[in-house]
Amino acid sequence: MTEVTEELVYQRPESLTQVHTHYCPGCTHGTAHRLVGEVLDELNVRGRTIGIAPVGCSVLAYYYFDVDFAEAAHGRAPAMATGMKRTHPDKVIFTYQGDGDLAAIGTGEIVHAAGRGENITVIFINNAIYGMTGGQMAPTTLEDQKTSSSPLGRDVSIAGYPLRMCELLATLDGAAYISRQSLHDVRHIRRAKKAILTAFKTQMAGLGFSMVELLSTCSTNWKMDPVESLEWLRDNMIPYFPLGDFKVAEAVKEL
Amino acid sequence: MARELWKGNEALAEAAVRAGVVAYFGYPITPQTELLEYLSLRMVRLGRTFLQAESELAAINMVYGVACTGVRVMTSSSSPGISLMQEGLSYIAASEVPVVLVDIMRGGPGLGNIQPSQGDYFQVTRSCGHGDFRPLVLAPATVQEGVDLVYEAFDLAEKYRTVVIVVADGNIGQMMEPAEMPPMRDISTEQPDWALVGADGRSHRIITSLFLSAEKLETLNLRLQAKVQRVRENEVRYREHRAEDADILMVGFGTMGRIAQTAADMARQKGIRAGVFRPVSLFPFPSAALETRSHQARRILVVEMSAGQMLEDVRLAVGKDYPVEFYGRMGGVIPLPDEVFDAVEKIHAEMCHD
Ligand SMILES: Cc1ncc(C[n+]2csc(CCOP(=O)(O)OP(=O)(O)O)c2C)c(N)n1
């Protein structure tokens, strides 16, 4: 009889809990969670990491990460993270925020955290809509995109233009690593993971503020099936929100 | 420690340092700013955390973050800044993490002015944010008392895992008085068993104010109310001045308590038996003690630098049939002892007619 040897090649990261999530079918929050979990495992920092969940669909992220977690008020996660990191510089601190959370109600907090060069990592989920409250217009909703509060499509003469947060924050000296990635296919998911790894390494090396924006889907509120959503993201979001690194400080390049 | 001359705001800051505050976050606003300025040097020299936030909104959430990790943290502000902190205070209360807040009240509403006021009594005792919660509220009348209360506030915040507010009008923040500082405490290295410090060797801890099931949220609320009850039973504080035989009992807190003392002494010289009951804990309000004292007095005169806010707590304490008068000034006007004395004399004249 020939001996069969098996190698374990894929399993749940230790930094995630073994529970079912509440996310809708087709939602990319799960993918984003998994990538962060893998990175925390690879860096071997689960035991000294504190995460901060936002108000939004990922408000319950603390159930899915087996990592100490606090729940912030809407938009205020970067301020909480600032306090934690300032008093516990040896801990790894990250926020996980949606686009309404980070780019609307929490604009002040994110800009100043980046400006101060807070040594924290921000995972920014841009799904171009307010998911949790049922699909209202977000600061990242595209021109002409229909939402429950822009039923005729976003009219920029009324609602103004979508914000590009990576480009905005990359202008700040305190920002060390700013990158936008997408979760619409495997190739891009792999790249996203690399960026998340770089972001956490930036923090661990004490180089300053790091943020990875992840273009994401919201099948339920976009009113598309999961595959259509991924295609819509690719065809509509990427042209307005170009992918790539917007800020890589010299010291980050050397990581 | 010798008695030294201290500016109120700076004394409160130094008291927090001695109580072992690890981190301070704040935003400049008169008449509180010296507290922040003092700590900007003192904390840095001690190797502790000081950060000027971009707003009070950010400051209170920085405080919230630190509080989740179980170390001593505080902020300070004045009326408009406290309005911005209300969101954070509600989350902090629901999360049951200890936080100390110093509020140096100024004239309002709106941008108001930078004169001393007590117009935020309702804000600190009633409406510190959405939802059913009551912070512990302590009101000093002197710089020394402020020092002692701030020093103790950290212990109380930890004991009850709650928000403790030390509230004073701008007068107390700005004036200089002799005060003796308490001894310097070591910074605690103890980690409470609820603190977020990294899940090394255990499963994760969560601090949240979200309870999607109505029953679970009710359970939290019942726990918060039980805490309120314990606070009511154990943390009542008040002071009296010539109250034992007073016919006219003035009730005032903070600066107004002091002015009332002078007015009581003036009245005594005129043969009017006046005294003062000064609540130090605004929440819990010393209702029972005041009610007891009211039996022996004949009239109560509430004095405030507001339209009469504590007045409601006094009325609740003594009942609707008790004769309660009010004298107050608003907008940052500090009543003179003469004015308060006149109010006492008027009541006295009415009593003689009765
Ligand atoms: C102060 C405050 N305002 C409004 C809300 C309601 N609210 C909850 S989630 C949300 C939008 C979240 O959208 P986003 O950040 O894009 O995250 P998503 O749900 O899409 O993941 C809003 C407006 C709130 N909880 N608090």
PDB file of all heavy atoms in Angstrom, chain A residues 23 29 54-59 73-74 76 97-103 105 125 127-133 136 138-140 218 221, chain B residues 87 91, ligand 1:
ATOM      1  N   TYR A  23     -23.169  38.739   6.889  1.00  0.00           N
ATOM      2  CA  TYR A  23     -23.101  39.490   5.628  1.00  0.00           C
ATOM      3  C   TYR A  23     -23.968  38.859   4.545  1.00  0.00           C
ATOM      4  O   TYR A  23     -24.170  37.645   4.500  1.00  0.00           O
ATOM      5  CB  TYR A  23     -21.643  39.594   5.160  1.00  0.00           C
ATOM      6  CG  TYR A  23     -20.779  40.371   6.136  1.00  0.00           C
ATOM      7  CD1 TYR A  23     -19.681  39.782   6.767  1.00  0.00           C
ATOM      8  CD2 TYR A  23     -21.078  41.695   6.449  1.00  0.00           C
ATOM      9  CE1 TYR A  23     -18.914  40.485   7.668  1.00  0.00           C
ATOM     10  CE2 TYR A  23     -20.310  42.413   7.357  1.00  0.00           C
ATOM     11  CZ  TYR A  23     -19.227  41.807   7.971  1.00  0.00           C
ATOM     12  OH  TYR A  23     -18.476  42.497   8.872  1.00  0.00           O
ATOM     13  N   HIS A  29     -17.236  41.988   2.281  1.00  0.00           N
ATOM     14  CA  HIS A  29     -16.705  42.180   3.641  1.00  0.00           C
ATOM     15  C   HIS A  29     -15.986  40.912   4.118  1.00  0.00           C
ATOM     16  O   HIS A  29     -14.928  40.987   4.756  1.00  0.00           O
ATOM     17  CB  HIS A  29     -17.832  42.490   4.636  1.00  0.00           C
ATOM     18  CG  HIS A  29     -18.091  43.953   4.817  1.00  0.00           C
ATOM     19  ND1 HIS A  29     -17.096  44.859   5.130  1.00  0.00           N
ATOM     20  CD2 HIS A  29     -19.244  44.678   4.744  1.00  0.00           C
ATOM     21  CE1 HIS A  29     -17.630  46.072   5.241  1.00  0.00           C
ATOM     22  NE2 HIS A  29     -18.920  45.989   5.007  1.00  0.00           N
ATOM     23  N   PRO A  54     -16.497  49.849  12.960  1.00  0.00           N
ATOM     24  CA  PRO A  54     -17.193  51.109  12.673  1.00  0.00           C
ATOM     25  C   PRO A  54     -18.679  50.952  12.928  1.00  0.00           C
ATOM     26  O   PRO A  54     -19.144  49.906  13.366  1.00  0.00           O
ATOM     27  CB  PRO A  54     -16.976  51.228  11.171  1.00  0.00           C
ATOM     28  CG  PRO A  54     -17.142  49.804  10.700  1.00  0.00           C
ATOM     29  CD  PRO A  54     -16.543  48.940  11.796  1.00  0.00           C
ATOM     30  N   VAL A  55     -19.428  51.999  12.634  1.00  0.00           N
ATOM     31  CA  VAL A  55     -20.874  51.852  12.488  1.00  0.00           C
ATOM     32  C   VAL A  55     -21.128  51.691  10.994  1.00  0.00           C
ATOM     33  O   VAL A  55     -20.691  52.503  10.196  1.00  0.00           O
ATOM     34  CB  VAL A  55     -21.606  53.077  13.051  1.00  0.00           C
ATOM     35  CG1 VAL A  55     -23.094  52.985  12.744  1.00  0.00           C
ATOM     36  CG2 VAL A  55     -21.375  53.179  14.540  1.00  0.00           C
ATOM     37  N   GLY A  56     -21.786  50.618  10.627  1.00  0.00           N
ATOM     38  CA  GLY A  56     -22.007  50.273   9.231  1.00  0.00           C
ATOM     39  C   GLY A  56     -22.217  48.779   9.192  1.00  0.00           C
ATOM     40  O   GLY A  56     -22.356  48.139  10.242  1.00  0.00           O
ATOM     41  N   CYS A  57     -22.206  48.204   8.005  1.00  0.00           N
ATOM     42  CA  CYS A  57     -22.458  46.758   7.914  1.00  0.00           C
ATOM     43  C   CYS A  57     -21.443  45.954   8.719  1.00  0.00           C
ATOM     44  O   CYS A  57     -21.745  44.874   9.198  1.00  0.00           O
ATOM     45  CB  CYS A  57     -22.429  46.317   6.468  1.00  0.00           C
ATOM     46  SG  CYS A  57     -23.932  46.754   5.589  1.00  0.00           S
ATOM     47  N   SER A  58     -20.232  46.462   8.857  1.00  0.00           N
ATOM     48  CA  SER A  58     -19.200  45.698   9.564  1.00  0.00           C
ATOM     49  C   SER A  58     -19.170  46.037  11.050  1.00  0.00           C
ATOM     50  O   SER A  58     -18.179  45.819  11.734  1.00  0.00           O
ATOM     51  CB  SER A  58     -17.838  45.933   8.924  1.00  0.00           C
ATOM     52  OG  SER A  58     -17.616  47.299   8.712  1.00  0.00           O
ATOM     53  N   VAL A  59     -20.283  46.576  11.556  1.00  0.00           N
ATOM     54  CA  VAL A  59     -20.373  46.933  12.975  1.00  0.00           C
ATOM     55  C   VAL A  59     -20.127  45.713  13.867  1.00  0.00           C
ATOM     56  O   VAL A  59     -19.637  45.846  14.984  1.00  0.00           O
ATOM     57  CB  VAL A  59     -21.740  47.585  13.283  1.00  0.00           C
ATOM     58  CG1 VAL A  59     -22.883  46.602  13.098  1.00  0.00           C
ATOM     59  CG2 VAL A  59     -21.779  48.181  14.672  1.00  0.00           C
ATOM     60  N   ALA A  73     -18.164  54.943  17.792  1.00  0.00           N
ATOM     61  CA  ALA A  73     -19.299  55.711  17.269  1.00  0.00           C
ATOM     62  C   ALA A  73     -19.039  55.945  15.780  1.00  0.00           C
ATOM     63  O   ALA A  73     -17.898  55.864  15.312  1.00  0.00           O
ATOM     64  CB  ALA A  73     -19.431  57.027  18.018  1.00  0.00           C
ATOM     65  N   HIS A  74     -20.099  56.264  15.052  1.00  0.00           N
ATOM     66  CA  HIS A  74     -20.031  56.411  13.588  1.00  0.00           C
ATOM     67  C   HIS A  74     -18.946  57.422  13.181  1.00  0.00           C
ATOM     68  O   HIS A  74     -19.072  58.616  13.480  1.00  0.00           O
ATOM     69  CB  HIS A  74     -21.410  56.879  13.118  1.00  0.00           C
ATOM     70  CG  HIS A  74     -21.689  56.653  11.666  1.00  0.00           C
ATOM     71  ND1 HIS A  74     -20.925  55.856  10.845  1.00  0.00           N
ATOM     72  CD2 HIS A  74     -22.700  57.136  10.873  1.00  0.00           C
ATOM     73  CE1 HIS A  74     -21.435  55.849   9.624  1.00  0.00           C
ATOM     74  NE2 HIS A  74     -22.515  56.622   9.615  1.00  0.00           N
ATOM     75  N   ARG A  76     -15.831  57.675  14.220  1.00  0.00           N
ATOM     76  CA  ARG A  76     -14.824  58.101  15.214  1.00  0.00           C
ATOM     77  C   ARG A  76     -13.721  57.080  15.466  1.00  0.00           C
ATOM     78  O   ARG A  76     -12.882  57.282  16.362  1.00  0.00           O
ATOM     79  CB  ARG A  76     -15.498  58.414  16.556  1.00  0.00           C
ATOM     80  CG  ARG A  76     -16.801  59.168  16.459  1.00  0.00           C
ATOM     81  CD  ARG A  76     -16.618  60.643  16.152  1.00  0.00           C
ATOM     82  NE  ARG A  76     -17.916  61.232  15.917  1.00  0.00           N
ATOM     83  CZ  ARG A  76     -18.283  61.844  14.801  1.00  0.00           C
ATOM     84  NH1 ARG A  76     -17.424  62.007  13.808  1.00  0.00           N
ATOM     85  NH2 ARG A  76     -19.502  62.331  14.660  1.00  0.00           N
ATOM     86  N   GLN A  97     -13.355  50.426   8.419  1.00  0.00           N
ATOM     87  CA  GLN A  97     -14.402  51.440   8.244  1.00  0.00           C
ATOM     88  C   GLN A  97     -15.013  51.440   6.842  1.00  0.00           C
ATOM     89  O   GLN A  97     -14.302  51.248   5.854  1.00  0.00           O
ATOM     90  CB  GLN A  97     -13.810  52.838   8.502  1.00  0.00           C
ATOM     91  CG  GLN A  97     -13.141  53.012   9.846  1.00  0.00           C
ATOM     92  CD  GLN A  97     -12.542  54.398  10.004  1.00  0.00           C
ATOM     93  OE1 GLN A  97     -11.338  54.571   9.934  1.00  0.00           O
ATOM     94  NE2 GLN A  97     -13.394  55.401  10.206  1.00  0.00           N
ATOM     95  N   GLY A  98     -16.294  51.724   6.783  1.00  0.00           N
ATOM     96  CA  GLY A  98     -16.973  51.889   5.500  1.00  0.00           C
ATOM     97  C   GLY A  98     -16.798  53.300   4.969  1.00  0.00           C
ATOM     98  O   GLY A  98     -16.191  54.160   5.618  1.00  0.00           O
ATOM     99  N   ASP A  99     -17.366  53.537   3.782  1.00  0.00           N
ATOM    100  CA  ASP A  99     -17.145  54.850   3.145  1.00  0.00           C
ATOM    101  C   ASP A  99     -18.005  55.943   3.772  1.00  0.00           C
ATOM    102  O   ASP A  99     -17.596  57.100   3.817  1.00  0.00           O
ATOM    103  CB  ASP A  99     -17.350  54.779   1.625  1.00  0.00           C
ATOM    104  CG  ASP A  99     -18.567  53.954   1.237  1.00  0.00           C
ATOM    105  OD1 ASP A  99     -19.567  53.962   1.983  1.00  0.00           O
ATOM    106  OD2 ASP A  99     -18.512  53.285   0.188  1.00  0.00           O
ATOM    107  N   GLY A 100     -19.191  55.585   4.268  1.00  0.00           N
ATOM    108  CA  GLY A 100     -19.968  56.600   4.971  1.00  0.00           C
ATOM    109  C   GLY A 100     -19.277  56.962   6.274  1.00  0.00           C
ATOM    110  O   GLY A 100     -19.163  58.126   6.651  1.00  0.00           O
ATOM    111  N   ASP A 101     -18.779  55.938   6.930  1.00  0.00           N
ATOM    112  CA  ASP A 101     -18.109  56.106   8.212  1.00  0.00           C
ATOM    113  C   ASP A 101     -16.839  56.951   8.068  1.00  0.00           C
ATOM    114  O   ASP A 101     -16.621  57.907   8.814  1.00  0.00           O
ATOM    115  CB  ASP A 101     -17.753  54.710   8.750  1.00  0.00           C
ATOM    116  CG  ASP A 101     -17.388  54.698  10.218  1.00  0.00           C
ATOM    117  OD1 ASP A 101     -18.306  54.756  11.044  1.00  0.00           O
ATOM    118  OD2 ASP A 101     -16.187  54.622  10.527  1.00  0.00           O
ATOM    119  N   LEU A 102     -16.029  56.606   7.091  1.00  0.00           N
ATOM    120  CA  LEU A 102     -14.708  57.238   6.965  1.00  0.00           C
ATOM    121  C   LEU A 102     -14.734  58.528   6.150  1.00  0.00           C
ATOM    122  O   LEU A 102     -14.020  59.474   6.465  1.00  0.00           O
ATOM    123  CB  LEU A 102     -13.721  56.236   6.346  1.00  0.00           C
ATOM    124  CG  LEU A 102     -12.284  56.701   6.132  1.00  0.00           C
ATOM    125  CD1 LEU A 102     -11.297  55.587   6.446  1.00  0.00           C
ATOM    126  CD2 LEU A 102     -12.042  57.223   4.719  1.00  0.00           C
ATOM    127  N   ALA A 103     -15.588  58.543   5.100  1.00  0.00           N
ATOM    128  CA  ALA A 103     -15.492  59.666   4.160  1.00  0.00           C
ATOM    129  C   ALA A 103     -16.619  60.682   4.300  1.00  0.00           C
ATOM    130  O   ALA A 103     -16.639  61.682   3.596  1.00  0.00           O
ATOM    131  CB  ALA A 103     -15.450  59.128   2.728  1.00  0.00           C
ATOM    132  N   ILE A 105     -19.199  61.109   7.768  1.00  0.00           N
ATOM    133  CA  ILE A 105     -19.326  61.565   9.157  1.00  0.00           C
ATOM    134  C   ILE A 105     -17.969  61.594   9.868  1.00  0.00           C
ATOM    135  O   ILE A 105     -17.767  62.373  10.791  1.00  0.00           O
ATOM    136  CB  ILE A 105     -20.360  60.691   9.913  1.00  0.00           C
ATOM    137  CG1 ILE A 105     -20.832  61.371  11.198  1.00  0.00           C
ATOM    138  CG2 ILE A 105     -19.841  59.300  10.165  1.00  0.00           C
ATOM    139  CD1 ILE A 105     -22.080  60.753  11.802  1.00  0.00           C
ATOM    140  N   ILE A 125     -13.345  50.216   3.504  1.00  0.00           N
ATOM    141  CA  ILE A 125     -14.200  49.479   2.576  1.00  0.00           C
ATOM    142  C   ILE A 125     -15.062  50.462   1.788  1.00  0.00           C
ATOM    143  O   ILE A 125     -15.973  51.085   2.343  1.00  0.00           O
ATOM    144  CB  ILE A 125     -15.113  48.487   3.349  1.00  0.00           C
ATOM    145  CG1 ILE A 125     -14.288  47.560   4.251  1.00  0.00           C
ATOM    146  CG2 ILE A 125     -15.983  47.698   2.369  1.00  0.00           C
ATOM    147  CD1 ILE A 125     -13.330  46.629   3.545  1.00  0.00           C
ATOM    148  N   ASN A 127     -17.766  50.722  -0.842  1.00  0.00           N
ATOM    149  CA  ASN A 127     -18.757  50.025  -1.662  1.00  0.00           C
ATOM    150  C   ASN A 127     -19.728  51.008  -2.316  1.00  0.00           C
ATOM    151  O   ASN A 127     -20.790  50.627  -2.781  1.00  0.00           O
ATOM    152  CB  ASN A 127     -19.512  48.961  -0.839  1.00  0.00           C
ATOM    153  CG  ASN A 127     -20.228  49.570   0.364  1.00  0.00           C
ATOM    154  OD1 ASN A 127     -20.303  50.795   0.493  1.00  0.00           O
ATOM    155  ND2 ASN A 127     -20.771  48.737   1.232  1.00  0.00           N
ATOM    156  N   ALA A 128     -19.349  52.270  -2.323  1.00  0.00           N
ATOM    157  CA  ALA A 128     -20.086  53.313  -3.047  1.00  0.00           C
ATOM    158  C   ALA A 128     -21.530  53.491  -2.578  1.00  0.00           C
ATOM    159  O   ALA A 128     -22.361  54.036  -3.300  1.00  0.00           O
ATOM    160  CB  ALA A 128     -20.059  53.045  -4.564  1.00  0.00           C
ATOM    161  N   ILE A 129     -21.807  53.046  -1.350  1.00  0.00           N
ATOM    162  CA  ILE A 129     -23.189  53.146  -0.862  1.00  0.00           C
ATOM    163  C   ILE A 129     -23.218  52.989   0.661  1.00  0.00           C
ATOM    164  O   ILE A 129     -22.241  52.514   1.239  1.00  0.00           O
ATOM    165  CB  ILE A 129     -24.058  52.049  -1.536  1.00  0.00           C
ATOM    166  CG1 ILE A 129     -25.532  52.480  -1.605  1.00  0.00           C
ATOM    167  CG2 ILE A 129     -23.932  50.692  -0.833  1.00  0.00           C
ATOM    168  CD1 ILE A 129     -26.277  51.810  -2.726  1.00  0.00           C
ATOM    169  N   TYR A 130     -24.306  53.433   1.293  1.00  0.00           N
ATOM    170  CA  TYR A 130     -24.531  53.134   2.697  1.00  0.00           C
ATOM    171  C   TYR A 130     -25.236  51.794   2.757  1.00  0.00           C
ATOM    172  O   TYR A 130     -26.426  51.710   2.469  1.00  0.00           O
ATOM    173  CB  TYR A 130     -25.421  54.199   3.353  1.00  0.00           C
ATOM    174  CG  TYR A 130     -24.730  55.493   3.711  1.00  0.00           C
ATOM    175  CD1 TYR A 130     -23.512  55.847   3.149  1.00  0.00           C
ATOM    176  CD2 TYR A 130     -25.302  56.370   4.637  1.00  0.00           C
ATOM    177  CE1 TYR A 130     -22.876  57.040   3.487  1.00  0.00           C
ATOM    178  CE2 TYR A 130     -24.685  57.563   4.984  1.00  0.00           C
ATOM    179  CZ  TYR A 130     -23.475  57.893   4.401  1.00  0.00           C
ATOM    180  OH  TYR A 130     -22.866  59.049   4.746  1.00  0.00           O
ATOM    181  N   GLY A 131     -24.500  50.752   3.128  1.00  0.00           N
ATOM    182  CA  GLY A 131     -25.087  49.424   3.130  1.00  0.00           C
ATOM    183  C   GLY A 131     -26.070  49.234   4.264  1.00  0.00           C
ATOM    184  O   GLY A 131     -27.228  48.880   4.067  1.00  0.00           O
ATOM    185  N   MET A 132     -25.617  49.516   5.465  1.00  0.00           N
ATOM    186  CA  MET A 132     -26.378  49.126   6.639  1.00  0.00           C
ATOM    187  C   MET A 132     -27.750  49.774   6.733  1.00  0.00           C
ATOM    188  O   MET A 132     -28.719  49.164   7.159  1.00  0.00           O
ATOM    189  CB  MET A 132     -25.590  49.448   7.897  1.00  0.00           C
ATOM    190  CG  MET A 132     -26.201  48.837   9.142  1.00  0.00           C
ATOM    191  SD  MET A 132     -25.495  49.576  10.593  1.00  0.00           S
ATOM    192  CE  MET A 132     -25.612  48.232  11.733  1.00  0.00           C
ATOM    193  N   THR A 133     -27.819  51.039   6.353  1.00  0.00           N
ATOM    194  CA  THR A 133     -29.089  51.757   6.507  1.00  0.00           C
ATOM    195  C   THR A 133     -30.004  51.564   5.304  1.00  0.00           C
ATOM    196  O   THR A 133     -31.039  52.215   5.209  1.00  0.00           O
ATOM    197  CB  THR A 133     -28.829  53.253   6.752  1.00  0.00           C
ATOM    198  OG1 THR A 133     -27.742  53.656   5.924  1.00  0.00           O
ATOM    199  CG2 THR A 133     -28.493  53.519   8.197  1.00  0.00           C
ATOM    200  N   GLN A 136     -28.501  54.156   0.943  1.00  0.00           N
ATOM    201  CA  GLN A 136     -28.535  55.585   0.613  1.00  0.00           C
ATOM    202  C   GLN A 136     -27.219  56.005  -0.058  1.00  0.00           C
ATOM    203  O   GLN A 136     -26.228  55.284  -0.051  1.00  0.00           O
ATOM    204  CB  GLN A 136     -28.763  56.442   1.868  1.00  0.00           C
ATOM    205  CG  GLN A 136     -30.079  56.201   2.562  1.00  0.00           C
ATOM    206  CD  GLN A 136     -30.072  54.954   3.403  1.00  0.00           C
ATOM    207  OE1 GLN A 136     -29.016  54.502   3.843  1.00  0.00           O
ATOM    208  NE2 GLN A 136     -31.241  54.364   3.597  1.00  0.00           N
ATOM    209  N   ALA A 138     -23.729  57.542  -0.676  1.00  0.00           N
ATOM    210  CA  ALA A 138     -22.524  57.703   0.135  1.00  0.00           C
ATOM    211  C   ALA A 138     -21.665  58.802  -0.489  1.00  0.00           C
ATOM    212  O   ALA A 138     -21.915  59.210  -1.626  1.00  0.00           O
ATOM    213  CB  ALA A 138     -21.753  56.383   0.155  1.00  0.00           C
ATOM    214  N   PRO A 139     -20.653  59.261   0.235  1.00  0.00           N
ATOM    215  CA  PRO A 139     -19.756  60.258  -0.374  1.00  0.00           C
ATOM    216  C   PRO A 139     -18.994  59.689  -1.575  1.00  0.00           C
ATOM    217  O   PRO A 139     -18.414  60.439  -2.345  1.00  0.00           O
ATOM    218  CB  PRO A 139     -18.802  60.621   0.769  1.00  0.00           C
ATOM    219  CG  PRO A 139     -18.956  59.554   1.789  1.00  0.00           C
ATOM    220  CD  PRO A 139     -20.314  58.986   1.624  1.00  0.00           C
ATOM    221  N   THR A 140     -19.005  58.371  -1.694  1.00  0.00           N
ATOM    222  CA  THR A 140     -18.296  57.706  -2.794  1.00  0.00           C
ATOM    223  C   THR A 140     -19.246  57.214  -3.885  1.00  0.00           C
ATOM    224  O   THR A 140     -18.803  56.579  -4.838  1.00  0.00           O
ATOM    225  CB  THR A 140     -17.545  56.490  -2.223  1.00  0.00           C
ATOM    226  OG1 THR A 140     -18.445  55.795  -1.360  1.00  0.00           O
ATOM    227  CG2 THR A 140     -16.319  56.901  -1.426  1.00  0.00           C
ATOM    228  N   CYS A 218     -21.843  45.654  -2.972  1.00  0.00           N
ATOM    229  CA  CYS A 218     -23.010  45.598  -2.099  1.00  0.00           C
ATOM    230  C   CYS A 218     -24.176  45.124  -2.950  1.00  0.00           C
ATOM    231  O   CYS A 218     -25.026  45.928  -3.358  1.00  0.00           O
ATOM    232  CB  CYS A 218     -23.283  46.969  -1.483  1.00  0.00           C
ATOM    233  SG  CYS A 218     -24.690  46.961  -0.366  1.00  0.00           S
ATOM    234  N   ASN A 221     -27.896  46.222  -1.995  1.00  0.00           N
ATOM    235  CA  ASN A 221     -28.336  47.589  -2.222  1.00  0.00           C
ATOM    236  C   ASN A 221     -28.061  48.087  -3.638  1.00  0.00           C
ATOM    237  O   ASN A 221     -28.692  49.040  -4.088  1.00  0.00           O
ATOM    238  CB  ASN A 221     -27.729  48.514  -1.183  1.00  0.00           C
ATOM    239  CG  ASN A 221     -28.327  48.272   0.185  1.00  0.00           C
ATOM    240  OD1 ASN A 221     -29.531  48.415   0.372  1.00  0.00           O
ATOM    241  ND2 ASN A 221     -27.506  47.852   1.131  1.00  0.00           N
TER     242      ASN A 221
ATOM    243  N   GLU B  87     -22.036  62.803  22.381  1.00  0.00           N
ATOM    244  CA  GLU B  87     -22.092  61.521  21.662  1.00  0.00           C
ATOM    245  C   GLU B  87     -21.145  60.519  22.314  1.00  0.00           C
ATOM    246  O   GLU B  87     -21.533  59.403  22.671  1.00  0.00           O
ATOM    247  CB  GLU B  87     -21.693  61.727  20.197  1.00  0.00           C
ATOM    248  CG  GLU B  87     -21.653  60.426  19.425  1.00  0.00           C
ATOM    249  CD  GLU B  87     -20.953  60.554  18.072  1.00  0.00           C
ATOM    250  OE1 GLU B  87     -19.758  60.926  18.031  1.00  0.00           O
ATOM    251  OE2 GLU B  87     -21.584  60.269  17.066  1.00  0.00           O
ATOM    252  N   TYR B  91     -21.648  56.765  24.491  1.00  0.00           N
ATOM    253  CA  TYR B  91     -20.994  55.491  24.138  1.00  0.00           C
ATOM    254  C   TYR B  91     -20.145  54.985  25.302  1.00  0.00           C
ATOM    255  O   TYR B  91     -20.105  53.791  25.587  1.00  0.00           O
ATOM    256  CB  TYR B  91     -20.107  55.667  22.893  1.00  0.00           C
ATOM    257  CG  TYR B  91     -20.879  55.618  21.594  1.00  0.00           C
ATOM    258  CD1 TYR B  91     -21.720  56.669  21.221  1.00  0.00           C
ATOM    259  CD2 TYR B  91     -20.776  54.536  20.735  1.00  0.00           C
ATOM    260  CE1 TYR B  91     -22.435  56.630  20.036  1.00  0.00           C
ATOM    261  CE2 TYR B  91     -21.488  54.484  19.546  1.00  0.00           C
ATOM    262  CZ  TYR B  91     -22.311  55.534  19.200  1.00  0.00           C
ATOM    263  OH  TYR B  91     -23.018  55.482  18.024  1.00  0.00           O
TER     264      TYR B  91
HETATM  265  C1  LIG C   1     -24.426  59.502  14.366  1.00  0.00           C
HETATM  266  C2  LIG C   1     -25.060  58.479  13.488  1.00  0.00           C
HETATM  267  N1  LIG C   1     -25.654  58.862  12.357  1.00  0.00           N
HETATM  268  C3  LIG C   1     -26.231  57.951  11.544  1.00  0.00           C
HETATM  269  C4  LIG C   1     -26.221  56.620  11.874  1.00  0.00           C
HETATM  270  C5  LIG C   1     -26.921  55.617  10.984  1.00  0.00           C
HETATM  271  N2  LIG C   1     -26.014  54.808  10.161  1.00  0.00           N
HETATM  272  C6  LIG C   1     -25.654  53.577  10.540  1.00  0.00           C
HETATM  273  S1  LIG C   1     -24.645  52.839   9.422  1.00  0.00           S
HETATM  274  C7  LIG C   1     -24.692  54.173   8.398  1.00  0.00           C
HETATM  275  C8  LIG C   1     -24.002  54.171   7.074  1.00  0.00           C
HETATM  276  C9  LIG C   1     -22.862  53.258   6.975  1.00  0.00           C
HETATM  277  O1  LIG C   1     -22.403  53.233   5.675  1.00  0.00           O
HETATM  278  P1  LIG C   1     -20.908  52.841   5.345  1.00  0.00           P
HETATM  279  O2  LIG C   1     -19.979  53.518   6.267  1.00  0.00           O
HETATM  280  O3  LIG C   1     -20.717  53.137   3.906  1.00  0.00           O
HETATM  281  O4  LIG C   1     -20.793  51.291   5.660  1.00  0.00           O
HETATM  282  P2  LIG C   1     -21.540  50.034   5.006  1.00  0.00           P
HETATM  283  O5  LIG C   1     -22.783  49.834   5.818  1.00  0.00           O
HETATM  284  O6  LIG C   1     -21.825  50.346   3.585  1.00  0.00           O
HETATM  285  O7  LIG C   1     -20.581  48.894   5.176  1.00  0.00           O
HETATM  286  C10 LIG C   1     -25.494  55.167   8.942  1.00  0.00           C
HETATM  287  C11 LIG C   1     -25.758  56.449   8.258  1.00  0.00           C
HETATM  288  C12 LIG C   1     -25.587  56.259  13.095  1.00  0.00           C
HETATM  289  N3  LIG C   1     -25.531  54.985  13.528  1.00  0.00           N
HETATM  290  N4  LIG C   1     -25.001  57.198  13.865  1.00  0.00           N
END
